[in-house]
Amino acid sequence: MAVVTTIRRDAVTLPAAELGPDNPLPPLRPLDETHRIDDRDRDELPRDMARQIGYEPLRSLLPARVRDGYGRRRTPRDLDTLVIENDRLRATVLPGLGGRVASLFHKPTGRELLYRNPVFQPACFALNGAWFSGGIEWNIGATGHTALSCSPLHAARVTAPDGGEMLRLWEWERLRDLPFQVDLWLPEGSDFLYAGVRIRNPHDRPVPVYWWSNIAVPEECRVLAPAGEAYHFGYERRLRRVPVPSYDGVDRTYPGNSVHPADYFYEVPDGRRRWIAALDEDGDGLVQASTDVLRGRKLFVWGTGTGGRRWQEWLTEPGTGGYCEIQAGLARTQLEHLRLEAECEVAWLEAYGPLHAEREGEWPGVVHAAEARLEACLPRQRVDAAYAAWRPYADTEPGEVLAAGSGWGALELLRMGGKLPGTPFDEATVGDAQAPWLELLRSGSFPEPRRVGPPGETLVAPHWRDMLETAPARPLTEYHLGIAQWHAGDRAQAVRSWERALPLAPSLWPLLRCLAVADQEAGYHERAADRYAEAFDDLCRERRDDGETWTAATAALGRESLDALLAVGRTRDARAVWYRLHPETRERGRFRLTEARLLLAEGNREAARAVFDEGFEVADLREGARVIDELWARITDEPLPARYDFRMRPGT
């Protein structure tokens, strides 16, 4: 007799790095985005794809903050989990880390179906920084890994379509201002985990929408999908159509056959079932299938090159095996955003489970045989029926709350004066970050702080900007208004707001830093350096202690000030900033790299080389960044040491 599905709280103990504090400086600069295509490729693309690639790409991280406070020292730590289990499958979910499905264990065969990372190690891959590898992640917002990668989601028990229990995850995605939910359940006796996903647009205007479910699997596999062509995208930023499975004489459906990191977006023909599978040498592995709304399928490989191998080690423990990613999304490629009309929603159903099929042989025959096996164990009609059965339950009010997310959704619903059936954003979740904005909403006035400290988060949506514009023009109000105006593209007015606040502001450095960024973006680099130097002086005079908040602010502003001063050759001023950083900040890898730059700028090449020889790790090194190898090339003609080789592009 089948065991009734259960949901329970648990914990997993892993070697884990601390996330640390968020960067308190608002991200005013444009995204340093690696996922954009060469313009010469656009004319060769299908018209709808080209249009969607050009539709509302994300220009700014606001109102999110950058998460760069993590390091690389790992200690055993308990991570809260929610476990969904029947007699066939056990799914382990991390509600505090984006709702990631960290494990999907198939009991009859004793196999883990996913790549399960043995550590928790953040790295700079999410849109806003911190991200970690492994499992199934839910990517919403814009091209790239979601800004919620390392953030808590709301979670609760909900009645499932079969009368059992399902786990609901939900949150308010702030980059696009959209609420979403993921309902996970295991029907009795099922070998497949179902995920019902819904994104809603509660606004009176269309919005861009993006979704990709990202599944990490062991890379010793062959990836199957019902396609004869794919769009290849690499770090050289070219998007081109290639045949599947082979091009340039190499079968790319085996991840180990690719030298360089790359995406392969499969062109699944209209009318064909939407699925993708990764099978090991015995023909066993994981398959993901969905209703047709989730159109896209993708394979990402790290490649066998030095840089790809280095990144694999960086994200996990060396010697524990690599991974690749199979993915499913709303569009054909991750470079596209779709239009979601006002007060509309998009929803679909996904299924994850084991598949056994022959993976070797000619591509068409292998794919058709695997598809037949999938149809035998999970008929397409069953998935469609499960979706239809789930839809009425998507609005069911949750029961027992199992985890809490942020208070931003509650704040937005209070502003809108409405409710979202199925995803209650309780006013009790409104916390310190939302409190001043709630006061602005209710009183029309943004509160000034009772004591000096780094400013809180800024909201930039048009309705909040309108409220700031009509609020009393106090210094902190003008600071936040300027950020909202900057986000809206009104840079001249933003500068005026910041300049207006300066004479009465108790803290000058937040305003001076914003003005310095504005100067840099306008090409006034000397004036930007002056303002950065003045801002850092003001912060050092103002900081009250060596606690986490002030240390994070000093590190963030110090880093930007050093970059600005070195850019205009002011090494003496840069050295003065360096000496006033906290000692523990100077020991972080990012700052050790900056120290090498500073020493080289001072003419001390030998000391700059010694920094490399002593060794450092830039914990928040950005995917695709070249700062380490480019600095090394300025110091010496010797080959780049392997420990510093994160180069992703061909020919580097």
Side-chain angles (χ1 to χ4, degrees):
M1 182 176 178
V3 175
V4 175
T5 300
T6 62
I7 299 174
R8 58 184 168 85
R9 290 188 176 95
D10 205 341
V12 60
T13 303
L14 293 177
E18 295 288 344
L19 275 171
D22 290 352
N23 188 320
L25 306 183
L28 300 178
R29 293 183 179 81
L31 284 174
D32 180 18
E33 183 50 66
T34 59
H35 302 99
R36 61 175 186 268
I37 68 169
D38 194 306
D39 287 339
R40 57 188 160 167
D41 291 334
R42 289 181 185 269
D43 294 340
E44 305 299 321
L45 300 177
R47 187 171 299 176
D48 64 328
M49 183 187 291
R51 181 178 65 252
Q52 289 169 179
I53 287 175
Y55 175 58
E56 296 289 341
L58 192 67
R59 306 293 184 189
S60 167
L61 282 177
L62 289 166
R65 283 189 163 182
V66 173
R67 310 200 74 168
D68 61 1
Y70 53 88
R72 293 192 56 80
R73 189 174 70 86
R74 297 192 286 265
T75 56
R77 185 155 58 94
D78 289 341
L79 302 179
D80 291 335
T81 64
L82 298 171
V83 179
I84 315 169
E85 189 167 14
N86 65 6
D87 60 337
R88 312 287 294 178
L89 277 178
R90 182 170 64 245
T92 303
V93 179
L94 300 172
L97 294 168
R100 183 81 59 99
V101 180
S103 169
L104 189 60
F105 183 77
H106 188 236
K107 296 179 181 181
T109 58
R111 289 193 297 112
E112 172 61 56
L113 301 181
L114 304 173
Y115 168 75
R116 185 171 185 173
N117 200 329
V119 304
F120 172 69
Q121 178 55 65
C124 192
F125 280 77
L127 286 165
N128 62 334
W131 174 86
F132 64 106
S133 63
I136 305 169
E137 61 175 310
W138 318 109
N139 288 301
I140 182 174
T143 300
H145 294 283
T146 178
L148 295 168
S149 292
C150 292
S151 296
L153 302 190
H154 300 281
R157 298 181 196 269
V158 187
T159 301
D162 61 0
E165 289 186 329
M166 64 182 174
L167 174 64
R168 175 162 298 161
L169 305 166
W170 74 98
E171 191 40 287
W172 194 281
E173 201 287 313
R174 301 176 65 208
L175 296 180
R176 300 300 197 181
D177 248 352
L178 297 177
F180 73 97
Q181 70 188 77
V182 179
D183 287 352
L184 300 172
W185 80 100
L186 285 167
E188 288 188 27
S190 175
D191 281 310
F192 286 84
L193 173 70
Y194 288 165
V197 185
R198 175 167 65 165
I199 305 172
R200 286 184 275 191
N201 176 12
H203 306 294
D204 59 1
R205 65 187 187 281
V207 293
V209 68
Y210 171 96
W211 182 279
W212 281 80
S213 301
N214 184 353
I215 309 130
V217 293
E219 66 179 349
E220 296 298 326
C221 67
R222 190 182 195 190
V223 173
L224 307 182
E229 292 183 310
Y231 287 91
H232 171 273
F233 183 73
Y235 285 83
E236 67 276 19
R237 295 176 176 168
R238 300 298 307 276
L239 183 66
R240 52 198 174 92
R241 194 188 292 252
V242 298
V244 174
S246 300
Y247 78 93
D248 290 344
V250 178
D251 188 331
R252 308 288 174 166
T253 61
Y254 294 89
N257 286 350
S258 293
V259 176
H260 302 291
D263 298 326
Y264 297 90
F265 298 103
Y266 294 116
E267 183 72 290
V268 180
D270 290 340
R272 195 76 182 268
R273 187 174 185 181
R274 310 286 167 172
W275 62 275
I276 189 168
L279 305 180
D280 65 19
E281 61 182 358
D282 296 322
D284 293 312
L286 174 129
V287 64
Q288 186 270 2
S290 72
T291 49
D292 289 350
V293 166
L294 203 63
R295 177 181 185 177
R297 293 298 185 275
K298 170 192 156 181
L299 164 65
F300 168 74
V301 298
W302 282 107
T304 58
T306 305
R309 293 296 92 191
R310 185 71 181 99
W311 276 114
Q312 290 263 37
E313 294 175 351
W314 191 250
L315 293 166
T316 183
E317 284 284 0
T320 57
Y323 74 96
C324 63
E325 294 169 358
I326 56 175
Q327 303 186 21
L330 285 174
R332 279 182 287 189
T333 74
Q334 288 177 327
L335 308 173
E336 302 168 70
H337 300 91
L338 306 184
R339 179 184 173 100
L340 184 58
E341 298 298 337
E343 300 178 349
C344 289
E345 63 181 47
V346 59
W348 63 92
L349 185 90
E350 303 180 46
Y352 296 84
L355 182 70
H356 176 80
E358 177 58 56
R359 76 174 197 178
E360 307 299 338
E362 293 297 319
W363 181 252
V366 167
V367 169
H368 281 289
E371 195 165 48
R373 295 281 297 189
L374 172 61
E375 184 66 20
C377 61
L378 184 70
R380 185 175 188 176
Q381 185 177 5
R382 186 186 301 170
V383 174
D384 292 339
Y387 171 73
W390 166 70
R391 286 296 283 137
Y393 287 81
D395 284 344
T396 301
E397 289 305 305
E400 179 191 2
V401 173
L402 299 171
S406 78
W408 296 111
L411 179 67
E412 289 298 333
L413 287 190
L414 288 169
R415 181 194 63 80
M416 294 164 58
K419 293 185 177 180
L420 288 172
T423 53
F425 292 94
D426 196 312
E427 185 175 347
T429 62
V430 171
D432 292 343
Q434 296 84 33
W437 297 95
L438 184 58
E439 183 170 333
L440 172 66
L441 176 66
R442 289 177 168 167
S443 72
S445 178
F446 197 90
E448 288 291 308
R450 295 177 180 175
R451 58 181 180 179
V452 171
E457 298 187 55
T458 301
L459 295 178
V460 295
H463 41 268
W464 293 107
R465 187 174 72 246
D466 291 344
M467 282 185 250
L468 289 168
E469 286 176 344
T470 58
R474 301 185 184 121
L476 189 58
T477 305
E478 295 283 14
Y479 164 81
H480 287 298
L481 174 58
I483 295 170
Q485 291 165 332
W486 182 272
H487 177 264
D490 192 351
R491 296 190 169 187
Q493 189 58 53
V495 168
R496 284 193 286 272
S497 295
W498 293 326
E499 289 178 337
R500 227 175 14 243
L502 277 173
L504 297 177
S507 293
L508 300 181
W509 65 267
L511 295 160
L512 290 169
R513 182 264 175 176
C514 290
L515 290 167
V517 173
D519 284 337
Q520 285 182 322
E521 292 296 305
Y524 301 119
H525 297 290
E526 283 287 354
R527 190 167 69 188
D530 287 338
R531 279 180 159 153
Y532 265 120
E534 186 180 354
F536 193 75
D537 286 344
D538 185 68
L539 183 149
C540 290
R541 284 192 299 268
E542 183 179 291
R543 66 186 180 196
R544 298 295 185 261
D545 53 51
D546 290 337
E548 183 179 83
T549 300
W550 282 108
T551 299
T554 306
L557 185 59
R559 175 173 164 179
E560 291 188 11
S561 300
L562 285 163
D563 288 343
L565 292 164
L566 288 174
V568 296
R570 290 167 55 174
T571 56
R572 181 176 297 178
D573 292 335
R575 179 59 70 180
V577 170
W578 175 263
Y579 282 136
R580 285 178 291 170
L581 294 172
H582 292 91
E584 62 270 24
T585 298
R586 293 200 296 263
E587 291 304 312
R588 289 168 55 183
R590 170 64 64 178
F591 288 88
R592 293 284 286 154
L593 179 65
T594 300
E595 182 184 20
R597 287 178 56 208
L598 177 55
L599 288 165
L600 185 63
E602 291 171 334
N604 196 340
R605 188 181 303 271
E606 190 172 301
R609 167 62 186 265
V611 172
F612 277 84
D613 293 341
E614 291 166 10
F616 59 85
E617 292 184 321
V618 181
D620 62 330
L621 185 68
R622 185 69 178 170
E623 173 190 12
R626 299 289 308 277
V627 291
I628 295 179
D629 62 280
E630 288 175 352
L631 181 60
W632 174 264
R634 291 172 55 200
I635 294 172
T636 178
D637 293 331
E638 296 177 23
L640 181 67
R643 66 181 298 181
Y644 299 121
D645 193 350
F646 294 90
R647 293 173 291 186
M648 305 278 272
R649 300 180 190 177
T652 61

